[in-house]
Amino acid sequence: MSAAAPIKSWLRCYRCWSQDLEVQVHYEGIHRIDPVTGKRADVVDELQEAVVQCLDCMHDQPHLVFHNDRIEPVEDRWERMVAGTPWVASCTVTVEADAVETCSGPEAADSLAYAAFGDHGTREFFTHVRFHKHEDDQIVVHLLVELYARSNDEATSVLEEAARGGLTITSLAEESRPPASTGSGDHPH
């Protein structure tokens, strides 16, 4: 399958398969003003961020992006997340101490997860930082990570590619998929 697959196969929540999605678009731009018409003219700078969210289970959909005024699948991610099952890994990631913005307070878990796995740790994986410890100029982050994959090998590979430091996986187990949000039974095969 690829992004050319029927839209119905990828335009759904990867957790509950609902197709009740919304995109939240945030736009920030700086434009020159045309002195004759008073209208926006040249773009000086612009930034657009968009998040697709499931309205049934409220989870973000990192396998989907908003591009050219439409939702599109992320090629290397959508099949794994939609057709895969949840896997839970107990692991450690050893990172340089200066890669961690903060390791205490309310922002610590996100900061440690980001230091360990980058955007995957804050957008795609469900991370639970169990604890961390300082070793000289490094920090060892102990986490439970839920991710979606089609096999043990794929789950291991995704963790290895995302890890931003030395990764040790102490256990990796497949979990059952949460039930579908609708009774229609049209799950991807």
Side-chain angles (χ1 to χ4, degrees):
M1 282 205 268
S2 71
I7 285 179
K8 192 169 180 145
S9 64
W10 53 259
L11 191 57
R12 63 179 65 245
C13 174
Y14 75 97
R15 286 188 57 90
C16 71
W17 283 305
S18 169
Q19 290 187 298
D20 194 8
L21 307 174
E22 75 176 11
V23 63
Q24 300 167 8
V25 181
H26 303 277
Y27 177 82
E28 192 173 305
I30 300 171
H31 300 261
R32 296 233 189 284
I33 302 297
D34 183 308
V36 175
T37 64
K39 293 183 179 181
R40 289 189 302 178
D42 300 326
V43 174
V44 175
D45 190 23
E46 66 182 350
L47 173 70
Q48 178 177 297
E49 293 180 349
V51 174
V52 179
Q53 187 176 58
C54 175
L55 295 174
D56 287 328
C57 72
M58 302 308 291
H59 282 95
D60 289 351
Q61 304 298 304
H63 68 292
L64 300 173
V65 295
F66 185 64
H67 183 254
N68 293 332
D69 292 329
R70 60 177 277 137
I71 300 299
E72 297 178 356
V74 177
E75 194 64 43
D76 62 342
R77 191 179 294 164
W78 78 266
E79 276 189 275
R80 174 175 55 79
M81 293 183 75
V82 172
T85 55
W87 290 77
V88 176
S90 179
C91 61
T92 63
V93 181
T94 303
V95 297
E96 296 297 320
D98 59 4
V100 179
E101 192 171 307
T102 183
C103 62
S104 63
E107 306 295 320
D110 285 345
S111 180
L112 290 162
Y114 183 80
F117 291 111
D119 284 334
H120 291 279
T122 56
R123 295 234 21 215
E124 180 183 342
F125 299 164
F126 292 92
T127 56
H128 171 71
V129 176
R130 296 173 62 212
F131 63 94
H132 71 283
K133 61 184 178 183
H134 296 257
E135 292 181 355
D136 299 320
D137 59 350
Q138 296 186 317
I139 296 178
V140 180
V141 186
H142 294 256
L143 312 104
L144 289 177
V145 178
E146 179 185 322
L147 68 150
Y148 280 69
R150 292 167 288 192
S151 68
N152 183 301
D153 288 344
E154 186 174 56
T156 300
S157 175
V158 169
L159 286 167
E160 288 172 347
E161 289 172 19
R164 299 174 77 195
L167 171 71
T168 302
I169 300 172
T170 53
S171 70
L172 180 62
E174 184 176 12
E175 300 288 311
S176 59
R177 180 176 270 286
S181 67
T182 65
S184 61
D186 61 344
H187 305 304
H189 298 285

